[in-house]
Amino acid sequence: MKSKGKLLFFLCVSLITVVVGCAKQPSKKTEASSVSVTSTKPEQQKPTKSLAVGKILSTEQANPDVAYKVANKQTIFYFSLKNFGKKSDIISDNATARGEIFGATKKVETTTGTYYKVIRYYANGFENASSPEGSADDKEIADFGYVKSTGLKPFFPVASEWTYKQKQPYYLGNPYAHRIWSAPAKTVHYTYITHVFDRLATTQLYATKEMVTYNGMHYVYLETAKRPLGWVYKSSKTLIAGWYQDPGKQLLKTTSHEKMIVKKQSKKSAGNRVDASDSTALPQRVYLIRNKKRHTMRTLVMGMDNRPIVIHFKHNRAVKVQAYQYWRQPWKTITSKKKLSTHFLLSHDFIEGMYSTVHFYSKRSQKLVRVKTLGSNSQAAVWIYKDGRVMFKTKPYKHTANYPLKDFN
């Protein structure tokens, strides 16, 4: 009985040990499940999405001064190659781009064709101080994104260009109607004003070559005796053909009893700013013809607009005014006693950007006359006194855009 009891006890203990042991050891299936929850799977690489234009085969820089125009009605410009073809990515369609001239800055070859990164040809005028060459590439206004090459066709903005066998002499007529450019507008991808005529009123100029643009406009390339300047629209109003003539010697004749005195506004008085509409920095000039009694007989005023006005005096009273065109041809003669004792306006019925007012003073005043030139962004005045003194003043209007003269010297 004792041996049976011991055997029974042993069997019970063994059974308990096995049961307990089974409870403590997880199954292989449970173990695998537990590991998968607590461990981190390595991230799988997402497959690279191909661009809407296909796979890029090559990319190269392009010359933006090779010009293009829109080729067909299907031409559409997109912000990027990534979203090329999507409505939300359209910069412009044919309707808004067909009048523009384009240059490509980048050429991209893909499995679906050739694409260009393009800019529109841009004329930046006076705002060229920071980085004039090529800065249109970075300007939002010039950026037209990407276009398929089949959407563009070659365009030739310069119809013809030639160099003169000999320099052609010119001098300045109207100083503000046209400016001097790096190239005629829209003949290369970026053009800007290199010089103004404000300080070239008495300088001999030379044209060395000429250009005809796609729209039939003629331009000449100007130089002085010492330096190149740039391109300017060929206009008889702006440029007078021939050798420079001093207006005093040309328009005023002196007798043996008379003496010519020349007064010129200082550069400091004229100022060192230029603007888009006038010739604010142009120094005004006055030519006085005085007799032996030191009476002023005639005076020639060249105001801010460089247009000649000749005033004739007798006993310190005006008797005639002769106004001239910019190219120094007689334009208007004033002989009205009322106007010559008070004031009058000289204007081409507001066709010109500037006009002049001529104001006469009373017999008691020490002043003879004031000639004021009024422009869009500034005004300038000349006061002539009976004793021969002359006073000049130039005044830019407030809150008008102007630029440092040194940028255009």
Side-chain angles (χ1 to χ4, degrees):
M1 289 296 295
K2 284 184 180 180
S3 60
K4 288 183 179 180
K6 285 181 181 180
L7 178 60
L8 182 60
F9 175 79
F10 176 77
L11 290 174
C12 288
V13 171
S14 299
L15 181 61
I16 291 171
T17 303
V18 171
V19 172
V20 172
C22 289
K24 285 183 179 180
Q25 297 296 324
S27 67
K28 289 183 179 180
K29 185 177 181 179
T30 305
E31 182 179 358
S33 175
S34 174
V35 169
S36 68
V37 171
T38 57
S39 66
T40 303
K41 280 186 177 180
E43 289 184 4
Q44 294 181 355
Q45 294 292 330
K46 293 181 180 179
T48 303
K49 291 183 179 179
S50 60
L51 295 172
V53 296
K55 184 181 178 182
I56 293 178
L57 303 176
S58 66
T59 300
E60 61 182 85
Q61 296 299 113
N63 180 3
D65 290 331
V66 175
Y68 297 92
K69 279 264 198 174
V70 168
N72 51 62
K73 293 182 178 180
Q74 288 72 45
T75 302
I76 298 178
F77 298 80
Y78 295 89
F79 282 101
S80 66
L81 291 178
K82 181 180 179 180
N83 296 313
F84 199 93
K86 291 185 178 180
K87 275 189 175 182
S88 60
D89 207 51
I90 291 177
I91 289 181
S92 175
D93 58 14
N94 169 268
T96 54
R98 60 188 173 192
E100 300 289 349
I101 303 172
F102 296 98
T105 60
K106 188 189 298 182
K107 180 182 178 182
V108 182
E109 295 283 358
T110 77
T111 52
T112 63
T114 303
Y115 297 83
Y116 290 130
K117 174 78 169 67
V118 296
I119 55 173
R120 73 182 181 94
Y121 275 34
Y122 182 65
N124 200 25
F126 284 85
E127 297 175 355
N128 67 338
S130 56
S131 178
E133 290 293 353
S135 63
D137 297 9
D138 302 322
K139 289 184 177 294
E140 184 178 343
I141 195 170
D143 186 6
F144 258 71
Y146 288 87
V147 63
K148 196 164 187 178
S149 62
T150 53
L152 299 177
K153 60 182 179 182
F155 180 73
F156 303 95
V158 178
S160 60
E161 182 180 353
W162 63 95
T163 300
Y164 298 139
K165 290 182 179 179
Q166 292 183 332
K167 294 181 179 180
Q168 304 294 314
Y170 285 96
Y171 61 98
L172 183 62
N174 184 315
Y176 65 89
H178 298 100
R179 311 294 185 166
I180 303 171
W181 289 72
S182 58
K186 296 190 176 182
T187 57
V188 293
H189 80 281
Y190 182 64
T191 55
Y192 56 94
I193 293 173
T194 55
H195 297 280
V196 295
F197 286 110
D198 295 35
R199 297 286 166 85
L200 297 172
T202 60
T203 302
Q204 181 66 58
L205 305 171
Y206 302 91
T208 58
K209 50 188 175 180
E210 187 165 341
M211 178 190 294
V212 182
T213 60
Y214 65 96
N215 51 6
M217 299 291 189
H218 282 248
Y219 293 82
V220 292
Y221 189 86
L222 283 187
E223 299 179 358
T224 69
K226 297 181 179 180
R227 59 177 178 150
L229 296 173
W231 293 92
V232 65
Y233 179 69
K234 188 179 181 181
S235 165
S236 58
K237 180 187 291 186
T238 298
L239 296 174
I240 303 171
W243 299 100
Y244 174 75
Q245 296 188 65
D246 181 88
K249 294 178 180 179
Q250 181 186 11
L251 304 176
L252 295 176
K253 306 302 180 184
T254 58
T255 68
S256 58
H257 302 292
E258 295 175 332
K259 181 181 180 181
M260 181 183 292
I261 301 169
V262 182
K263 304 281 188 178
K264 185 177 179 180
Q265 185 178 14
S266 69
K267 291 180 180 179
K268 182 178 180 181
S269 172
N272 58 4
R273 307 291 292 184
V274 298
D275 60 75
S277 301
D278 311 327
S279 289
T280 307
L282 188 148
Q284 301 176 100
R285 289 157 287 154
V286 169
Y287 297 78
L288 297 170
I289 302 296
R290 308 194 81 199
N291 62 16
K292 288 185 176 181
K293 295 182 179 180
R294 297 184 178 179
H295 292 160
T296 298
M297 308 303 294
R298 294 175 300 286
T299 183
L300 166 63
V301 177
M302 302 290 287
M304 180 177 69
D305 60 350
N306 202 46
R307 182 160 41 189
I309 299 173
V310 175
I311 306 171
H312 298 256
F313 293 95
K314 188 174 182 178
H315 304 305
N316 289 332
R317 302 301 298 169
V319 293
K320 185 173 77 170
V321 172
Q322 178 68 65
Y324 289 81
Q325 304 277 15
Y326 287 106
W327 48 95
R328 299 189 185 175
Q329 295 297 314
W331 162 51
K332 184 175 287 188
T333 302
I334 310 293
T335 56
S336 165
K337 288 185 178 180
K338 182 179 179 180
K339 289 182 178 180
L340 295 178
S341 61
T342 53
H343 56 83
F344 60 88
L345 175 72
L346 283 174
S347 170
H348 286 279
D349 299 322
F350 297 98
I351 295 174
E352 303 291 350
M354 293 191 194
Y355 60 95
S356 299
T357 61
V358 181
H359 176 87
F360 298 99
Y361 293 91
S362 68
K363 289 183 179 180
R364 297 186 299 274
S365 176
Q366 292 301 308
K367 297 175 184 175
L368 270 176
V369 62
R370 182 198 69 199
V371 178
K372 182 183 288 187
T373 309
L374 297 105
S376 301
N377 294 337
S378 57
Q379 65 179 34
V382 174
W383 289 266
I384 301 173
Y385 290 76
K386 291 176 181 176
D387 61 5
R389 287 182 296 128
V390 176
M391 185 172 74
F392 300 98
K393 186 175 182 180
T394 298
K395 181 182 179 183
Y397 299 143
K398 291 183 178 179
H399 311 302
T400 57
N402 54 60
Y403 309 90
L405 178 64
K406 63 180 177 61
D407 290 347
F408 309 96
N409 276 338

